[in-house]
Amino acid sequence: MSDAFTTRVLNVATGSRERVVDITGDCESFLREAAAGRDGLLNVFVPHATAGIAVIETGAGSDDDLLAALHTLLPADDRWQHRHGSPGHGRDHVLPAFVPPHATLPVLGGRLELGTWQSVCLVDTNRDNPDRKVRLSFLGGAGEI
């Protein structure tokens, strides 16, 4: 079972502003070691109540568009029942309903199988928590039959 399942925790500093952080390179680095050329699944999980994982294009404005869309859907104002933290922080606790805290992705031949423009990203709108953990877990196939 030790080869079949491997996990690692990334520490990601998101700072004091809303961010979409591309962690694709970290996922690929983990898979080079953990998958060792095998097929399987990569699970990416953020164990926080105010962050999520998205598979989107980055670098061409889509990451900023995502944050703008979240502002439209989840305004940072005083409408939220959850009221501790900075003003509008209650919206951060609703974020995982729209951007889930996990993604499970195919791994073929030890490589993450993403589309041409897809990246794996941590989405963090919580300015009160500048440090995040992301758990990467590889579940490998049973091997050749």
Side-chain angles (χ1 to χ4, degrees):
M1 180 71 174
S2 62
D3 293 9
F5 183 80
T6 307
T7 190
R8 175 179 300 157
V9 174
L10 302 176
N11 293 302
V12 180
T14 56
S16 60
R17 63 184 178 90
E18 297 179 359
R19 300 226 9 232
V20 175
V21 180
D22 187 339
I23 59 170
T24 309
D26 296 302
C27 294
E28 291 169 339
S29 176
F30 168 69
L31 288 171
R32 277 192 291 279
E33 181 182 316
R38 296 177 295 149
D39 295 350
L41 295 172
L42 174 68
N43 182 263
V44 183
F45 176 72
V46 57
H48 297 281
T50 59
I53 300 295
V55 178
I56 68 168
E57 179 181 7
T58 59
S62 296
D63 34 357
D64 290 332
D65 290 342
L66 173 59
L67 291 175
L70 290 171
H71 272 280
T72 300
L73 288 169
L74 306 169
D77 58 22
D78 64 357
R79 73 183 68 202
W80 307 101
Q81 298 298 311
H82 189 107
R83 294 187 186 259
H84 76 85
S86 60
H89 173 66
R91 82 181 200 106
D92 300 327
H93 286 273
V94 178
L95 173 77
F98 294 91
V99 182
H102 60 87
T104 300
L105 305 164
V107 176
L108 299 175
R111 297 184 54 129
L112 195 53
E113 188 69 11
L114 292 173
T116 302
W117 303 112
Q118 290 180 315
S119 296
V120 182
C121 298
L122 168 66
V123 179
D124 186 3
T125 59
N126 183 357
R127 296 171 300 160
D128 296 338
N129 189 350
D131 299 301
R132 298 302 189 153
K133 295 190 181 312
V134 178
R135 179 171 295 280
L136 305 177
S137 300
F138 174 71
L139 179 60
E144 307 248 347
I145 297 177

